Amino acid sequence: MEDIPVISFDGNDKTCSGDEFTLNATAANSNIQWEWERNGVRESLSETVINMTLTTDKSSEIVKYIATAETNNAYKCTNKDSISVNVFSKPTNSIEGESLICEGNSASIKSKNAFKNYSWIDVKDPAFVLSTVNNPTFSPSETTQYQLTVTDDNGCTTTSNATVSVIGKPDFDFSYTAVCEDEDAVITINSTHADQYNYQWNYNNSTGQSITIPQIKESITLKVTASDKDLESCQTTKEYPISVNKKPVFDIITDATDNTICSNNTINISG
């Protein structure tokens, strides 16, 4: 006499779309032949354990599995049992916030949507979790790619990446040739990235990489602010003293009365 197989299932009754899912059917009988059906369609499986990847284009979907156990002997005792697996779609998400910052500054980025859990990492160092909040603030010293893994209420996850680019503050110097008063003074900014910057001078509201001060009279101190064209808030301000040489001033003195002498006479002149 053979007992009718009593089937039990081992495995979760839910999974996320696209994830591998394992379902294990067992029976106390020693020699069992298995058959599986999924939503009424027979599967070409005869094992007690099945591994599958279920997908859905809906927010959730029920997949019903029926396992048939048949004793592999003359009695051919059979039994069926079923389990319903809830397949949840994976969440969709993206990252928004600052993608370009100036060195020394911070970037605020966040998940576009709200989820149950958040996990931020630096792609270069995935073993270390940087933050578990929705809207962290990071201060990278170099361009960094961040990855966010979110988990919804169904336990399904998805990942999104975002790159925060870091640019250096404008670096420049001045070139200037000393002039005398009443000459034109030309001041030029020198930099290997000069074309990448916008300039604002404190003289005559001037802009541009160089300025000319016509007929300069006295020494002054110029101030210029260079701003990166890609990020105006990334700025460097420098001051530069402009020296002006005064023209020599002198008088001519003679020992002649009324500066008048007779022909063939001599005169002494001094300054």
Side-chain angles (χ1 to χ4, degrees), residues 205-222:
N205 202 31
S206 299
T207 59
Q209 188 177 344
S210 66
I211 62 170
T212 299
I213 303 176
Q215 297 180 328
I216 191 169
K217 300 294 186 183
E218 57 186 3
S219 299
I220 60 173
T221 297
L222 286 178

Side-chain angles (χ1 to χ4, degrees), residues 75-96:
Y75 296 102
K76 299 296 183 182
C77 297
T78 62
N79 195 14
K80 291 184 178 183
D81 202 354
S82 65
I83 183 171
S84 294
V85 179
N86 203 335
V87 184
F88 297 102
S89 63
K90 286 196 171 185
T92 57
N93 191 38
S94 60
I95 299 172
E96 57 187 13

Side-chain angles (χ1 to χ4, degrees), residues 8-12 22-26 83:
S8 61
F9 293 100
D10 181 18
N12 293 324
T22 300
L23 190 59
N24 183 23
T26 59
I83 183 171

Side-chain angles (χ1 to χ4, degrees), residues 112-249:
K112 185 175 182 179
N113 302 309
F115 293 97
K116 184 178 181 179
N117 294 313
Y118 308 87
S119 179
W120 295 87
I121 62 169
D122 180 343
V123 172
K124 289 184 178 179
D125 187 14
F128 181 70
V129 176
L130 300 174
S131 177
T132 57
V133 299
N134 177 20
N135 53 343
T137 297
F138 298 121
S139 302
S141 58
E142 60 182 1
T143 296
T144 302
Q145 186 178 31
Y146 297 97
Q147 184 176 90
L148 168 64
T149 299
V150 295
T151 306
D152 64 14
D153 291 333
N154 298 317
C156 298
T157 64
T158 191
T159 61
S160 305
N161 287 11
T163 298
V164 176
S165 298
V166 181
I167 59 175
K169 290 186 176 182
D171 184 26
F172 60 92
D173 206 344
F174 299 87
S175 67
Y176 165 71
T177 301
V179 296
C180 292
E181 61 178 324
D182 295 326
E183 293 180 346
D184 294 345
V186 179
I187 304 93
T188 302
I189 286 180
N190 296 322
S191 173
T192 55
H193 305 288
D195 293 338
Q196 181 60 30
Y197 308 142
N198 292 320
Y199 304 96
Q200 182 65 56
W201 300 78
N202 69 335
Y203 173 79
N204 202 27
N205 202 31
S206 299
T207 59
Q209 188 177 344
S210 66
I211 62 170
T212 299
I213 303 176
Q215 297 180 328
I216 191 169
K217 300 294 186 183
E218 57 186 3
S219 299
I220 60 173
T221 297
L222 286 178
K223 180 187 292 185
V224 62
T225 298
S227 306
D228 195 287
K229 292 180 179 178
D230 293 332
L231 188 64
E232 280 294 320
S233 61
C234 197
Q235 300 178 343
T236 297
T237 299
K238 288 186 176 183
E239 294 183 349
Y240 192 74
I242 303 299
S243 298
V244 176
N245 298 316
K246 293 293 185 179
K247 291 181 178 179
V249 178

Side-chain angles (χ1 to χ4, degrees), residues 11-136:
N12 293 324
D13 59 356
K14 65 179 182 179
T15 186
C16 301
S17 180
D19 288 352
E20 187 177 88
F21 179 71
T22 300
L23 190 59
N24 183 23
T26 59
N29 308 64
S30 59
N31 195 356
I32 296 292
Q33 179 70 35
W34 293 91
E35 288 185 0
W36 292 87
E37 292 180 16
R38 181 173 67 176
N39 287 348
V41 179
R42 183 178 176 179
E43 299 275 88
S44 58
L45 300 167
S46 59
E47 296 83 8
T48 181
V49 179
I50 59 173
N51 295 296
M52 70 212 84
T53 299
L54 302 178
T55 59
T56 181
D57 56 2
K58 304 173 184 178
S59 60
S60 65
E61 183 176 357
I62 300 295
V63 177
K64 185 177 182 180
Y65 276 90
I66 298 176
T68 301
E70 181 181 77
T71 58
N72 195 15
N73 53 31
Y75 296 102
K76 299 296 183 182
C77 297
T78 62
N79 195 14
K80 291 184 178 183
D81 202 354
S82 65
I83 183 171
S84 294
V85 179
N86 203 335
V87 184
F88 297 102
S89 63
K90 286 196 171 185
T92 57
N93 191 38
S94 60
I95 299 172
E96 57 187 13
E98 295 170 285
S99 60
L100 182 65
I101 62 171
C102 190
E103 63 175 333
N105 291 351
S106 300
S108 296
I109 55 180
K110 66 178 182 177
S111 168
K112 185 175 182 179
N113 302 309
F115 293 97
K116 184 178 181 179
N117 294 313
Y118 308 87
S119 179
W120 295 87
I121 62 169
D122 180 343
V123 172
K124 289 184 178 179
D125 187 14
F128 181 70
V129 176
L130 300 174
S131 177
T132 57
V133 299
N134 177 20
N135 53 343

